[in-house]
Amino acid sequence: MAQTLLMPKATAVWLVDNTALSFDQIAQFCKLHPLEVKAIADGEAAQGIKGLDPIATGQLSREEIARAEADPNHKLKLQEPKVRVPDSKRRGPRYTPVSKRQDRPNAILWLVRNHPELKDAQISRLVGTTKSTIEQIRDRTHWNSANLSPMDPVTLGLCSQIDLDMEVEKASKGRPLPTAAELGATLQSATETENLGYDFSQDEEKEIDANAVFAKLKSLKSDRKDDDEDDLY
């Protein structure tokens, strides 16, 4: 693993304040632009950042700084660490903080219900559990099954949304498309709706006889007039 500089801006602040190195030398060592280093020296950038001593952190030696101060063309080099820590590869389920372990069964139940395509190994990676616990929750044989409620593991802080999306995408690859029965009732196709045998002739508007309409209204009006006269007597 390539060695990288810790806190480049804080280191640049310290080098600007405590050495006679050029802006280009500091910029090259801290992976910054020379104009940004100049802005730090002028107090226009990195305000409020406390300088980090690279000598105290073991990233530079005093001899290396003195050599670079004497030769403007000399490029600073990171000092080799005295102790190398081997890269550890995480195996097994994800570590879950003690304060959140009680939420794992609820998260497993949520994953089982909302993402049935996920395998037990994927659920184990996401929330840091064992396959036996997942099987118990699937079979409703978990000791606390009656009190479990599905909860999103992302909301609970057991995994990130990116990790969840990646696992779902992996599980969805190669999965057969759902059948018509799985999708449920759908709209009928156009060919089916064209042959319904509906008789559109019934919807044709009939011609209206104006004389008949007026005669009907006149008879209704005369009947109402006769009723009013009867009420008077």
Side-chain angles (χ1 to χ4, degrees):
M1 182 178 178
Q3 188 182 3
T4 57
L5 179 66
L6 298 175
M7 302 178 66
K9 281 194 175 182
T11 302
V13 172
W14 189 92
L15 292 174
V16 167
D17 294 338
N18 298 277
T19 67
L21 297 171
S22 66
F23 294 158
D24 291 334
Q25 288 175 309
I26 297 175
Q28 178 270 328
F29 180 69
C30 297
K31 300 296 186 293
L32 301 174
H33 195 278
L35 293 178
E36 189 173 0
V37 178
K38 182 178 183 301
I40 292 174
D42 295 339
E44 298 175 357
Q47 295 179 357
I49 297 179
K50 185 179 180 181
L52 177 66
D53 186 356
I55 300 174
T57 57
Q59 299 187 99
L60 270 180
S61 63
R62 295 187 183 275
E63 293 76 11
E64 180 70 10
I65 293 177
R67 193 179 299 114
E69 287 176 333
D71 182 7
N73 296 322
H74 179 74
K75 295 182 179 180
L76 292 169
K77 296 180 181 179
L78 280 171
Q79 189 175 5
E80 289 293 328
K82 296 180 180 180
V83 178
R84 286 190 176 275
V85 179
D87 298 335
S88 60
K89 294 183 179 180
R90 181 175 61 83
R91 294 181 180 273
R94 181 193 301 270
Y95 172 76
T96 305
V98 178
S99 60
K100 296 183 179 180
R101 290 180 184 177
Q102 60 183 359
D103 296 327
R104 282 190 299 192
N106 295 327
I108 296 171
L109 181 59
W110 188 92
L111 291 171
V112 168
R113 288 188 179 181
N114 292 276
H115 295 286
E117 71 275 12
L118 290 176
K119 298 179 180 179
D120 291 353
Q122 293 178 299
I123 297 176
S124 179
R125 284 197 299 268
L126 286 171
V127 299
T129 186
T130 60
K131 290 187 178 181
S132 60
T133 304
I134 300 173
E135 291 175 358
Q136 291 173 4
I137 293 176
R138 285 185 189 274
D139 302 336
R140 305 293 294 176
T141 58
H142 190 267
W143 65 272
N144 197 29
S145 293
N147 299 321
L148 294 181
S149 59
M151 298 182 69
D152 189 347
V154 177
T155 304
L156 294 173
L158 295 174
C159 67
S160 66
Q161 186 65 51
I162 295 176
D163 292 338
L164 177 58
D165 293 342
M166 288 179 61
E167 295 294 348
V168 171
E169 184 179 356
K170 288 180 183 177
S172 300
K173 287 183 178 179
R175 188 183 181 191
L177 295 175
T179 61
E182 293 176 345
L183 292 174
T186 57
L187 294 176
Q188 293 181 340
S189 62
T191 56
E192 294 176 351
T193 57
E194 287 177 355
N195 301 321
L196 292 177
Y198 185 78
D199 187 7
F200 291 96
S201 61
Q202 296 179 359
D203 294 338
E204 295 180 357
E205 295 184 357
K206 298 180 180 180
E207 294 184 0
I208 299 175
D209 187 355
N211 295 328
V213 172
F214 283 113
K216 182 67 175 177
L217 291 175
K218 187 175 181 181
S219 62
L220 291 174
K221 187 175 180 182
S222 61
D223 292 343
R224 182 175 296 177
K225 184 176 181 181
D226 293 340
D227 291 342
D228 293 341
E229 291 178 353
D230 293 341
D231 292 340
L232 293 175
Y233 297 100

